Amino acid sequence: QVQLVESGGGLVQAGGSLRLSCAASGSIFSINAMGWYREAPGKQRELAATITRGGSTNYADSVKGRFTISRDDAENTVTLRLNSLKPEDTAVYYCNAQIVVGSVRGQSESSWWGQGTQVTVSS
């Protein structure tokens, strides 16, 4: 019904940058909030950044000032730009979206997750 596909992860040195992208496809009526979450080894998945349909953003304190989230509603895409990367940013990054799914029976909102993309920051 709906698929979220992330791309852009990789291995970078501390201080470097990456751009993560997530594209949603399927029977989408509209997309409300979108966000990026990350899961470091042995740790619980945590919020990195979110963006509402109106463009309001929220960042975890640990990434504030270094990461930037944006969205392109025409392409159903959300992007996370990671700057000044630190080794502690190493994690699997997951795209999330609150999507109103359209069908012949109507619409309903649900949360969808991508498969994750690995970000590794070396020291």
Side-chain angles (χ1 to χ4, degrees):
Q1 297 183 18
V2 173
Q3 302 83 40
L4 299 180
V5 180
E6 301 108 327
S7 62
L11 173 64
V12 297
Q13 292 185 332
S17 300
L18 284 174
R19 190 186 82 159
L20 308 182
S21 296
C22 173
S25 61
S27 301
I28 299 172
F29 180 79
S30 64
I31 302 178
N32 293 323
M34 306 183 78
W36 288 92
Y37 294 72
R38 63 185 187 180
E39 186 173 325
K43 296 184 178 180
Q44 189 173 348
R45 187 175 300 184
E46 65 176 4
L47 181 149
T50 60
I51 183 167
T52 68
R53 183 172 56 191
S56 179
T57 59
N58 183 56
Y59 298 92
D61 289 340
S62 59
V63 309
K64 194 173 300 181
R66 300 186 298 116
F67 292 8
T68 303
I69 189 170
S70 61
R71 62 190 290 166
D72 185 340
D73 291 332
E75 298 185 356
N76 291 332
T77 300
V78 61
T79 297
L80 185 68
R81 293 175 171 83
L82 300 77
N83 298 319
S84 302
L85 282 163
K86 305 175 181 179
E88 50 262 45
D89 294 320
T90 296
V92 177
Y93 284 71
Y94 295 90
C95 176
N96 174 262
Q98 299 298 122
I99 299 177
V100 179
V101 179
S103 72
V104 295
R105 298 185 62 185
Q107 302 83 40
S108 62
E109 182 183 277
S110 59
S111 181
W112 296 81
W113 293 89
Q115 80 287 350
T117 185
Q118 177 71 49
V119 171
T120 302
V121 184
S122 65
S123 60

